[in-house]
Amino acid sequence: MARTRHVIVGGGTAGMNAITTIRQYDRGASDIMLVSAERPYARMVLPYYLKGSISESHVYTASPSRLSALHVEAYLGRRAARLDTQASTLTLDDDTVLPYDNLLIATGSSPVRAPVPGADGQGIHSFWTLEQAQGVVRQMRPGSAVAMVGAGFIAFTILNALLSHGVKLSVVEIAPQILPRMIDQQGAEMVAQWLRDRGVAIRTSARLQAIEDAGSQKRLRFEGDADLLADCVIMATGIRTNLGWLDGSGVAINRGILVDAQQRSNIPNVYAAGDVAEGKDLISGQPAVHAIEPTAMEHGRVAGANMAGQPLAYRGSLLMNIVEVLGLEIASFGAWDSSTAEVFSATRPDRPAYRKLLWQGDRLIGAMLLGPEKDVWTSNDVGMLKGLVQTGSRLGDWKGYLQRNLFDIKRAYIASGITARLLPQTVLGSPSVPAGTVAVA
Amino acid sequence: MKVLRITPERCTGCMRCELACSYMQTGTFQPAKSVIRISPFEAHTSYAPYTCTQCAEAWCLVACPVEAITISPVGAKVVQDDMCVGCKLCTIACPYGTIFYNPDTEKAFKCNLCEGNPACAEACPTAAIEYVEAQTTDWLGDFAATRSAGRLGLLPGQA
C-alpha cells in the first residue's frame, strides 16, 4: 500500500502541532511535507526577544534536526500559490507541484495597517513576523519617542518590552477604549490609568489622518487632536487571515475556512487549523474565528489526529487572552462580552482589581479578571475561572456565594467538584506527550 | 505512578506543607511561593490542601509555545527554567489553577513532586498528604461541598 502523503501549509503553531500529532500516531508510516514561508518559530515569544530577555535562537520551534527526527520534508521559504482540490495537488510559488492525500491549511494571519496616507512609508513598523520584530529591535534607543498605533492584544504584548528599552511611549487607539476586544470599558479605564501613572501617554477615539515625514521623525496627524511626533512608529492595527491564495479552489470560506469537528473543510481531504479555520466555539457552539495561540494549538492537534486516521471529534475552542503590563495582569475568557448574560462584577477599593463573571443560569459562560500580578489570588484564579468556564459546570448555590464574593473563586471551585469533571478530559482521548519525545520508530 | 493523596479530614490547617513547599521550591519560607495551598472551609474549622494533579491532558505542557514544560521520571509536569520565557500561556491554559507565575524570576512555576520526594508529604504531621501509588482523583470535592454548607447559608445559625 502506498504511503499516505500529508502536506502541511504553514509552519506556525497549528502546523507544527499537526505534524507532531501525526507522528505521535503513525511513528513515521506516512510522508509529511511542510511548506512554510518562514523557518518555524513561536510568535508568542517574540515580545521577549524584543525585550532582550531571550536570544533569537530561542524563538525557533523546529530545528533542522527536529524536522529530520520527525521525517518531515521541509519546503522553507516557499509559499503555497494554488490549490487544485480536484487533482489533489498544491502548487508552490516556484511552480513545484506537491500531490497530496491529506492537506492541512494553516497559513495564519498577516498584519493590516491603518488605511491612512503614509502608513506604508519607510520607518513604519509592524510587529508580527520575526523579521518585523528584528526591524523594531534595531530602532530601540533609550529616550526615543515611540508611537504605537492600535491598543489591542498584539500591541499590549509588546508594551513591557518597549518600556524596558527606556523609550517614551504613546499609544493611540481609534476605538473609545483600549483593548476593545479583550476587556470591557470599565476594565479598560483601570488599565489606562495604570499605564498613565507609569508614564505612558494614551489617546482613545483617536482618528489618525496621515503619517508624514518630519525631519528624522514622523508626524502623526489626527482629526480634532494635536499632532504626535515620534522617532519610531509601530502599527498594531489588526490582522487579516491569509486566505487569498485559495480563491477558486472550491474550499468553502465564511470568515475563515468552515471546518467540522474533525477540522475538515467542505473538501474531505482538506483540513484547516488555527487563524484561518472557522470552527466551533466551545461556549456558543457556533462557528468562530478566534485567531489565538491556544486555539491554533488545539486545532492543529485535532487535525493531526484525524489526518493520521484517528477519528476524533473536537469539543470546540475556548476564547481566552492574557496579557500583563507593568505588573498588572489582564485576562478574559469565553463569552466575556455577552450582552445577554447575567453579570456579576466587583472592584476592590484598595488596589486596581476588577472581576466580572457572566452567567447563563448557574453556569459560568465567561469571565474577566484584572489585578496586580503580585497578588497571590490573581494567577490562582485565572486558571480556576478557566476551569469553571471550560467545564460549564452547574454551580448551584455557589452562584449566590460568588455574587457576594467575587474575589473568592477557590472555595466555589473546589466544593463544586470541578477537579472530578476535569480529570478525565483530554483533547486527543489519551494522555498528552511532550513534543520533544515524539519520533519516528 | 505515585501521586499526592490528600485526605482533607486529617488536615489541621497548620500550613507546614506550604512552608516546606516554598522552602523546597524557592529556598525561602514564604507560603505565597508555595505550589500547594491550604483553603479553609466551614468558617475556618476545616481545611484542605490543594495542588497540581499532574493531569493526563497536561494543559500547561501542550500550551507552552517553546516546549519549556516536560514530564519528569516520576511523572511530574516540570517547568524548565532555562526555556520558560514567562509568557503565562500555561497559567491561563491550566483549568485547575495550579501553575503560577513568579514576577521576581519572570518564570512559571508549579508542583514538580520534588523529584519524587515531596516536601509537603514529609512535613505533614497528620498524613493528610501522602505520596503513594494511587489513581489521582478529586480528593477534596465532596469534603469541601459538605463542609461548606454553612458558608452558603444553607444551615441555620452559621456563616
Side-chain angles (χ1 to χ4, degrees):
Chain A
M1 200 175 105
R3 289 163 64 88
T4 302
R5 296 161 301 179
H6 302 286
V7 172
I8 312 293
V9 193
T13 299
M16 288 310 302
N17 271 280
I19 288 172
T20 308
T21 306
I22 291 171
R23 284 296 180 245
Q24 182 186 332
Y25 286 107
D26 80 7
R27 296 274 160 196
S30 63
D31 293 335
I32 298 181
M33 284 141 282
L34 168 66
V35 179
S36 182
E38 302 165 273
R39 184 178 160 195
Y41 58 85
R43 187 178 318 292
M44 275 301 297
V45 308
L46 292 182
Y48 304 91
Y49 166 62
L50 171 59
K51 190 178 175 187
S53 59
I54 61 171
S55 64
E56 183 183 317
S57 62
H58 203 131
V59 310
Y60 295 108
T61 51
S63 61
S65 64
R66 170 70 65 87
L67 290 173
S68 160
L70 293 171
H71 285 202
V72 174
E73 190 182 333
Y75 294 78
L76 302 185
R78 294 269 68 85
R79 290 175 189 276
R82 284 185 307 285
L83 179 62
D84 184 337
T85 54
Q86 298 287 323
S88 288
T89 57
L90 177 75
T91 305
L92 308 187
D93 56 358
D94 63 352
D95 293 328
T96 301
V97 176
L98 299 178
Y100 60 82
D101 297 302
N102 288 317
L103 179 88
L104 176 69
I105 303 171
T107 42
S109 306
S110 297
V112 178
R113 292 191 172 188
V116 300
D120 290 322
Q122 280 281 318
I124 315 286
H125 300 267
S126 294
F127 191 94
W128 185 251
T129 64
L130 174 59
E131 192 181 354
Q132 290 163 349
Q134 289 161 340
V136 174
V137 167
R138 284 193 292 271
Q139 293 299 310
M140 291 298 104
R141 310 266 185 285
S144 69
V146 174
M148 170 77 79
V149 182
F153 174 74
I154 299 298
F156 267 63
T157 59
I158 61 171
L159 292 192
N160 286 345
L162 293 173
L163 294 166
S164 73
H165 285 282
V167 305
K168 202 168 157 294
L169 182 63
S170 300
V171 178
V172 299
E173 166 62 47
I174 191 169
Q177 66 162 82
I178 59 172
L179 291 170
R181 280 169 297 283
M182 188 172 159
I183 53 174
D184 67 8
Q185 194 179 348
Q186 184 178 353
E189 278 166 17
M190 294 173 77
V191 177
Q193 193 57 49
W194 177 269
L195 288 172
R196 286 190 179 111
D197 289 347
R198 285 155 184 79
V200 178
I202 294 175
R203 291 188 195 184
T204 50
S205 302
R207 287 182 298 279
L208 182 65
Q209 297 298 101
I211 302 177
E212 300 164 354
D213 289 325
S216 65
Q217 290 189 301
K218 294 284 177 183
R219 183 189 306 278
L220 285 71
R221 289 199 182 278
F222 296 89
E223 184 186 325
D225 208 339
D227 292 356
L228 187 64
L229 282 170
D231 300 298
C232 173
V233 180
I234 302 172
M235 282 269 171
T237 40
I239 55 171
R240 180 168 46 216
T241 47
N242 297 322
L243 291 167
W245 66 280
L246 290 168
D247 287 349
S249 67
V251 174
I253 296 171
N254 181 34
R255 284 157 297 185
I257 298 167
L258 287 160
V259 293
D260 65 12
Q262 280 80 42
Q263 296 299 128
R264 209 184 286 257
S265 74
N266 63 312
I267 312 286
N269 65 341
V270 175
Y271 297 76
D275 292 11
V276 293
E278 184 170 346
K280 184 178 162 189
D281 177 273
L282 180 69
I283 303 301
S284 70
Q286 297 301 308
V289 172
H290 283 171
I292 58 170
E293 168 92 13
T295 294
M297 180 272 290
E298 290 192 352
H299 275 183
R301 294 171 71 210
V302 173
N306 283 288
M307 291 169 78
Q310 298 285 321
L312 183 86
Y314 182 39
R315 66 192 157 87
S317 317
L318 178 62
L319 185 65
M320 52 178 142
N321 275 302
I322 185 164
V323 68
E324 172 256 312
V325 281
L326 300 178
L328 187 68
E329 187 143 304
I330 309 156
S332 60
F333 305 92
W336 67 268
D337 64 345
S338 167
S339 54
T340 55
E342 185 182 356
V343 176
F344 301 163
S345 67
T347 56
R348 295 189 51 144
D350 54 334
R351 54 188 179 290
Y354 176 45
R355 294 283 174 94
K356 188 170 180 176
L357 303 182
L358 297 96
W359 301 84
Q360 201 165 60
D362 61 352
R363 297 176 205 273
L364 202 61
I365 60 166
M368 214 196 84
L369 172 158
L370 193 157
E373 68 174 358
K374 280 187 186 294
D375 282 4
V376 173
W377 52 262
T378 303
S379 62
N380 221 325
D381 287 1
V382 166
M384 289 195 174
L385 285 170
K386 192 240 184 182
L388 291 171
V389 174
Q390 177 181 316
T391 56
S393 303
R394 301 195 58 172
L395 295 183
D397 294 318
W398 285 104
K399 180 183 175 186
Y401 178 81
L402 287 171
Q403 183 168 22
R404 300 186 299 275
N405 305 278
L406 266 87
F407 290 86
D408 184 18
I409 305 293
K410 194 174 178 180
R411 281 196 191 86
Y413 179 99
I414 294 175
S416 299
I418 307 301
T419 300
R421 296 176 66 102
L422 283 169
L423 281 172
Q425 278 195 15
T426 56
V427 172
L428 297 181
S430 58
S432 300
V433 297
T437 65
V438 175
V440 299
Chain B
M1 81 179 241
K2 287 175 93 170
V3 302
L4 290 170
R5 180 170 67 197
I6 315 286
T7 311
E9 290 81 358
R10 296 179 187 159
C11 176
T12 64
C14 74
M15 316 280 271
R16 280 176 65 165
C17 57
E18 289 196 7
L19 288 168
C21 176
S22 65
Y23 184 69
M24 183 63 102
Q25 296 291 332
T26 69
T28 57
F29 290 106
Q30 202 178 354
K33 296 279 165 62
S34 171
V35 294
I36 187 163
R37 295 186 181 179
I38 301 288
S39 288
F41 291 92
E42 204 174 21
H44 291 261
T45 61
S46 300
Y47 294 86
Y50 182 78
T51 189
C52 173
T53 64
Q54 314 297 344
C55 69
E57 175 58 16
W59 300 91
C60 58
L61 180 152
V62 294
C64 180
V66 290
E67 298 177 23
I69 300 176
T70 57
I71 302 180
S72 75
V74 296
K77 279 74 184 181
V78 180
V79 179
Q80 307 296 330
D81 277 354
D82 58 339
M83 287 301 293
C84 175
V85 303
C87 76
K88 300 189 176 180
L89 263 179
C90 54
T91 69
I92 196 176
C94 169
Y96 301 90
T98 50
I99 185 157
F100 307 95
Y101 175 76
N102 183 344
D104 301 327
T105 59
E106 302 186 336
K107 306 283 179 196
F109 67 106
K110 70 178 292 296
C111 174
N112 59 4
L113 293 175
C114 298
E115 293 170 10
N117 192 14
C120 56
E122 201 170 311
C124 180
T126 60
I129 308 166
E130 300 164 284
Y131 188 54
V132 293
E133 285 290 339
Q135 185 73 37
T136 298
T137 184
D138 182 358
W139 309 109
L140 310 183
D142 291 344
F143 170 87
T146 310
R147 304 294 174 101
S148 300
R151 185 171 291 276
L152 289 175
L154 302 179
L155 300 177
Q158 293 191 27

